[in-house]
Amino acid sequence: LRRGMNVLSAVRGYVDKIVGDPNCPGMKVLLLDECTTKTVAMVYSQTEILDKEVFLVERLEQACKHEVMKHLKACVFVRPTAGNLEVLKQELRRPRFSEYHIFFSNVVAGDALKGLAEADDGEVVRQVQEYYADYVPVNEALFSINQRQSLRLSTELRDAFHQDMFAR
């Protein structure tokens, strides 16, 4: 039997790389968005996260409400959405953690990276990486793209494609 990709293992491997990154040793906080929270919850237990020296797991948009915690490093794992990028820029303008290791769950546009670099006046960002984990693994062979209107979107794309083809 030929086996396909194991999506649980793939995502777990990415999260392992994030929380176990040798460039980010010691006590850390894991900042997530709504989607990546679901992704991480499917592959890691709270106990396993603690074993990686992650002492706080929190939503990115809640981090700005905390006091400064310079004894912690921030591992940020979020989708590269306009909203997340804006919150991240605000966080970098007033950093609450000693350093930031940013991991996006998909491709980030160059101008978005430029905006982050411009917001990082204190030079607290140590790395930015793209991991392709923009989905929620359900089991080894099943995942959700976590998009509410995906069927409607695919229908609209199909219809637009057919209209374009017939317009020629």
Side-chain angles (χ1 to χ4, degrees):
L1 286 175
R2 183 172 178 259
R3 294 194 49 138
M5 183 173 132
N6 181 330
V7 293
L8 278 173
S9 293
V11 170
R12 185 169 176 94
Y14 285 137
V15 178
D16 282 344
K17 288 179 181 181
I18 292 167
V19 296
D21 191 302
N23 296 314
C24 187
M27 297 188 340
K28 56 190 133 292
V29 57
L30 180 60
L31 300 177
L32 306 167
D33 65 14
E34 180 181 0
C35 292
T36 57
T37 297
K38 294 173 186 174
T39 299
V40 171
M42 293 302 288
V43 297
Y44 254 94
S45 70
Q46 191 68 32
T47 303
E48 290 171 314
I49 290 282
L50 283 169
D51 287 344
K52 299 288 187 176
E53 296 186 275
V54 176
F55 293 99
L56 178 63
V57 178
E58 190 165 57
R59 296 280 287 272
L60 175 63
E61 63 270 14
Q62 297 300 314
C64 63
K65 297 177 183 174
H66 274 292
E67 68 278 1
V68 173
M69 293 185 268
K70 294 291 185 180
H71 62 287
L72 294 175
K73 300 170 185 172
C75 292
V76 182
F77 180 45
V78 294
R79 294 182 73 210
T81 64
N84 284 340
L85 289 162
E86 191 55 42
V87 172
L88 194 49
K89 284 193 268 186
Q90 291 172 14
E91 178 66 24
L92 294 175
R93 286 184 188 111
R94 296 183 54 216
R96 286 161 181 74
F97 305 103
S98 62
E99 56 188 57
Y100 290 76
H101 301 262
I102 304 170
F103 304 88
F104 290 105
S105 66
N106 211 318
V107 178
V108 186
D111 59 333
L113 291 175
K114 183 179 179 202
L116 286 177
E118 290 169 352
D120 186 20
D121 290 333
E123 297 183 3
V124 292
V125 175
R126 297 294 180 257
Q127 64 178 315
V128 177
Q129 294 192 41
E130 297 168 335
Y131 287 145
Y132 304 104
D134 207 2
Y135 56 91
V136 178
V138 177
N139 63 34
E140 291 179 358
L142 180 66
F143 63 91
S144 167
I145 58 171
N146 206 27
Q147 297 294 318
R148 290 194 178 118
Q149 299 295 325
S150 60
L151 183 58
R152 189 182 90 202
L153 177 62
S154 67
T155 304
E156 289 172 0
L157 289 172
R158 183 199 65 214
D159 292 346
F161 174 76
H162 287 299
Q163 286 176 351
D164 184 51
M165 290 297 290
F166 291 121
R168 293 180 187 185

